[in-house]
Structure formats: C-alpha cells, structure tokens
Amino acid sequence: MNGDTAWAIYETRLRRVSAYIHDHLDEELDMGRLAEIACMSSYHWHRIYRAIHGETAAMTVKRLRLHRAAGEIVRGDLAIGDIAKRSGYPNLQSFNRIFKTAYGMPPARYRKEGSHSLFNAVPLEKATDMFDIAVKTVSPMTLTGVPHRGSYMLISKAFETLFGTLHARGLAGPDMRMIGVYFDDPDIVPADNLRSIACVTGVVMPMEGEPLQRQPIAGGEYAVLRHKGPYADMHRAYRWLYAEWLPASGRQIGDGAMFEEYLNSPRDTPPTELLTDIYLPLA
C-alpha cells in the first residue's frame, strides 16, 4: 500500500468519525466506540485524528457542545439547566464554570449581555463608531468546499469534512482562507432546509473529487462588517445590517450570496476573540 492509498483510507474512516460525532452530540461519546468506527486501534486512531484535525476527538466534542449551547442560550428560552444536561455536563455548576472559561461570563449572564446585545436598537450614527463596517471591492473567486444542508450553526460538520479531506489528500496549505457561503434566509427557510457550503481558497483540484466541489463568488462591491465574538451571536449583526445600515446607506442588495470569512480558528481561539468578516453583496 503506497502513501496516497493509506491516506485515502484514513480520510474515509475519519470522515465517518466526524459525522458520528456531529450526529450524536446528545449521547455519551465513548472514545473506544469512535475507534471502532474508524476501524483502527485506540492507540493509533487518536494520533491520526489529531494530526489531521489539529485537536483530539475529546476536544472536538467539548468545543462543539459548547458552541451549540451558546446558540441555544442566545436564540431560545430553554432553561440553562436543560442546556447543561443536553451538553453532557453532570450538573449546572460544572457547566457554568466551563462555559464562563470559554465565553467570558456565566451562561445566564451571557444570555442577557453577550456580544449579540451590542446590536440591539443601536442608532446608525452611534453604530458606525462602535462597529467596523466598510464598503469593499471583491475580486471574483472560485472556492473549494463541502456543501451543508441544515442549521447554519452546524456548518462545522462540513468544515470538519473539508479540512480532513484536504489534509488527507495533501491539498491543505498555510495560506488558505476559511469562508462559509450562505444561500437562504434562516428567518424564512426551515432550519433543516438551509443551504450553505464550507469553503477555502487556494486549492487546485480537478472538478471531480467528492465530497469537494467548486463554489464561485461574484466580484463587486460588498458591505463588510467585522464581528468579534462567538458565532452564536452573529444573527444580531445580520439583522442590524439589514434593518439599520442598509436603509440608511442608500444602497441596494446585489444578486450574489452572502458569505463569511473566518479570520481565526475556533480550535485555538477563545470564542470571545473570534473574528468574522460578514460580506453583504451590493448592487
């Protein structure tokens, strides 16, 4: 077996592991069971997973559960205790402690005072001083991505598949930019039917190569809002763009899809320090 064949086998097996993790976050995820899904010994598969994904499987599970919990805290009225239990924590105290370490404040306070609250009823003249927004000209791009169907909060599943595939095929590079393209309005389209694609720039690949596919980005002018904070907070930034900035700007929306560029990685960046540029196409 040559090196390329071996990595192709690892890619398929670890893709199964990544899909299983995302689809079973509500369950107790036994590391031995994940090794069985990968069809490798526990001794080896942990090392291969970390080499490809840049973190252990246990770290992935913890990060994804907290990410989902943050979204549920911001967007719903589910009790914090129920969210803690759903996230796999034995009691509310331990969940509060872990959440505060990651997000900078306890979950109950985060529900009221997280960075999403900055966008509540902020007058445009004040918001332009508070928020980093500019109109930029973007050149046409052709991205490489993995499609996702479902809640935008769960697009991380497609990104895990994307990066695992690129690393296994030797296509990953240090200068790749991480971009998510979003095609539907989550306030109108049911969560299960939302369409998006997790992408990177700078990959040279043939057109055939599942699960990878090409995604063009139209060139032109975009309003670009830089958001600092957890991904769960960004829906308020979108609403501010549409309800406050766009009418006051005198501009009209273009035909292209909105996209987000992630300027740092949730694998090694605290949620409160995540930087995301939100691109709104303009006519």
Side-chain angles (χ1 to χ4, degrees):
M1 182 185 300
N2 61 34
D4 290 341
T5 303
W7 276 111
I9 293 174
Y10 293 150
E11 173 196 335
T12 301
R13 293 177 178 180
L14 292 184
R15 194 187 304 166
R16 291 201 302 264
V17 171
S18 180
Y20 186 88
I21 288 174
H22 282 81
D23 293 341
H24 295 82
L25 281 177
D26 289 341
E27 304 172 14
E28 185 67 30
L29 289 171
D30 178 76
M31 293 299 114
R33 173 60 180 147
L34 296 182
E36 292 177 2
I37 293 170
C39 298
M40 287 185 268
S41 70
S42 292
Y43 180 84
H44 290 297
W45 93 269
H46 289 290
R47 290 163 173 78
I48 293 173
Y49 184 96
R50 185 164 191 165
I52 289 181
H53 291 287
E55 62 184 0
T56 66
M59 293 166 64
T60 298
V61 171
K62 177 182 176 182
R63 174 172 56 80
L64 292 176
R65 283 176 172 168
L66 283 176
H67 170 69
R68 185 183 66 181
E72 291 175 339
I73 289 168
V74 169
R75 299 188 181 197
D77 54 6
L78 193 64
I80 302 297
D82 292 337
I83 294 174
K85 186 181 299 183
R86 174 170 152 83
S87 301
Y89 289 88
N91 54 65
L92 183 58
Q93 290 74 23
S94 61
F95 177 66
N96 284 345
R97 184 177 65 254
I98 297 298
F99 190 92
K100 181 178 179 180
T101 299
Y103 285 81
M105 61 183 72
R109 181 181 166 197
Y110 180 77
R111 174 168 275 172
K112 297 178 180 179
E113 302 177 19
S115 55
H116 57 280
S117 64
L118 294 175
F119 290 89
N120 290 336
V122 178
L124 182 68
E125 61 272 13
K126 295 182 179 179
T128 52
D129 295 330
M130 293 174 61
F131 307 129
D132 184 2
I133 185 168
V135 174
K136 298 181 180 180
T137 300
V138 174
S139 299
M141 296 184 286
T142 300
L143 310 176
T144 300
V146 170
H148 172 70
R149 195 174 189 91
S151 169
Y152 288 158
M153 284 289 289
L154 301 179
I155 195 175
S156 56
K157 181 178 181 179
F159 273 112
E160 296 287 345
T161 299
L162 173 62
F163 282 104
T165 301
L166 294 176
H167 281 283
R169 297 182 186 180
L171 298 173
D175 298 325
M176 294 187 310
R177 296 161 56 195
M178 187 165 63
I179 292 174
V181 185
Y182 300 91
F183 302 104
D184 299 306
D185 184 347
D187 290 330
I188 298 175
V189 178
D192 290 345
N193 295 330
L194 292 171
R195 298 167 301 139
S196 56
I197 180 169
C199 299
V200 293
T201 62
V203 175
V204 178
M205 54 163 271
M207 288 302 294
E208 64 281 356
E210 290 187 357
L212 305 179
Q213 68 179 48
R214 299 289 195 184
Q215 176 59 47
I217 292 292
E221 286 192 317
Y222 288 77
V224 184
L225 171 64
R226 177 155 296 180
H227 178 273
K228 182 178 181 181
Y231 300 142
D233 296 353
M234 290 201 296
H235 69 291
R236 297 289 180 90
Y238 274 85
R239 290 180 181 176
W240 180 82
L241 267 175
Y242 278 100
E244 300 289 342
W245 183 86
L246 191 63
S249 71
R251 301 298 300 265
Q252 296 184 7
I253 299 176
D255 293 331
M258 294 193 71
F259 65 92
E260 298 169 0
E261 180 173 1
Y262 310 103
L263 305 181
N264 45 22
S265 171
R267 289 194 178 103
D268 55 20
T269 305
T272 53
E273 298 300 317
L274 290 171
L275 294 176
T276 307
D277 280 349
I278 301 172
Y279 284 75
L280 174 69
L282 300 174

